[in-house]
Amino acid sequence: MTQDVTNSDLQTGKPNGILPALDSVDWPVFEAGWVWMVGGGPGDPGLLTLHALNALQQADIIIYDALVDKALLSWAKPDAVIEYAGKRGGKPSPKQRDISLRLIELAQAGKRVLRLKGGDPFVFGRGGEEAQTLVQAGIKLRIIPGISAGIGGLAYAGIPVTHRDVNQSVTFLSGHDRTGLMPSALDWDALSKGSQVIVMYMAIKHMPDICEKLIAAGRDPHEPVAVVNNATRDDMQVLETTLVKAHEDITRSGIGAPAIVCIGRVALMRQCLDWMGQMQGVPPRNLDPLDVRSESETG
Ligand code: SAH
């Protein structure tokens, strides 16, 4: 069922009836002067939460980041102002402080301000910093989590971020620190020993160093690695490689940012669970990539 968002309720600033009824409470009303910080998910617009849709349908102004899918913006109310605040590696971008000040200024002017961020706002998205500045300025705030690329993006590549046969823990890692360099505070020995599966954001640039450090710290050079570019989008690309070959394969394939890098044997599960490939008629390559589970075993 499709419904046009030019529903008359949109003008009232109230939730517009496209959303299903909630049991005991109504959908939150976006009050004037508030900032709602919303996760837009990794790309596929269908991965947006209903709270996020509710927010989009009420906001007066939407300030969005580079990795937000533009299709989401078309779900805003017709007269909403749409403003770009993106940051892209290497390109000039507004300073974090300027973005926060803009949010404060708009909220103080009585706008319903939707801060739309890619994935989840509190996962490597500087959402915490922005939210803190807002609270310090006395601005009322609501946070709407989103599906993070390191979980949902991997799922679209057929990689379960945890899998009982492989890992009981996951480490999420940022491939660079606030200066753009490789994170200096990381203890590579501890990471190498203690992290069963490592999921890395913003890691493409420093992959050679990262792989080298992990191998030097004792990680198996032949450990499976998957690189998922533009995850959940129509142009998603997935590279399957290993720690020792990752740099060379990334360079040769030309796969670039934005990408999620998954290091660990869970990456092998794609051989069985590449459901997107399967939808296009590609049969599973291996029904038991980890060689542990017979087809009939369900326990
Ligand atoms: N808050 C976001 C992450 C922001 S940091 C989230 O929770 O997903 C930006 C990094 O996220 C990118 O450099 C990339 O590593 C990752 N990323 C975001 N969207 C992605 C996508 N569709 N495909 C692959 N990686 C993505």
Side-chain angles (χ1 to χ4, degrees), residues 68-137:
V68 163
D69 194 279
K70 306 295 173 294
L72 302 182
L73 302 173
S74 67
W75 295 343
K77 61 180 180 175
D79 58 348
V81 175
I82 314 258
E83 215 173 274
Y84 175 68
K87 300 164 162 292
R88 242 22 245 272
K91 300 205 184 120
S93 55
K95 294 218 162 50
Q96 188 59 55
R97 176 127 197 98
D98 294 341
I99 298 173
S100 299
L101 292 179
R102 177 84 181 125
L103 297 174
I104 292 168
E105 174 189 50
L106 288 164
Q108 284 173 343
K111 304 288 182 202
R112 303 175 183 90
V113 187
L114 195 167
R115 177 70 175 112
L116 186 58
K117 289 175 156 292
D120 183 282
F122 279 3
V123 178
F124 301 131
R126 305 179 202 218
E129 292 165 50
E130 271 176 43
Q132 185 178 14
T133 314
L134 292 169
V135 171
Q136 286 169 347

Side-chain angles (χ1 to χ4, degrees), residues 41-44 67 88 117-126 146-151 153 176 200-204 228-233 257-261:
D44 181 345
L67 288 176
R88 242 22 245 272
K117 289 175 156 292
D120 183 282
F122 279 3
V123 178
F124 301 131
R126 305 179 202 218
I147 294 182
S148 191
I151 299 177
H176 60 68
M200 300 198 292
Y201 295 66
M202 298 172 278
I204 292 291
V228 187
N229 159 262
N230 282 329
T232 80
R233 300 179 196 272
I260 287 291
V261 177

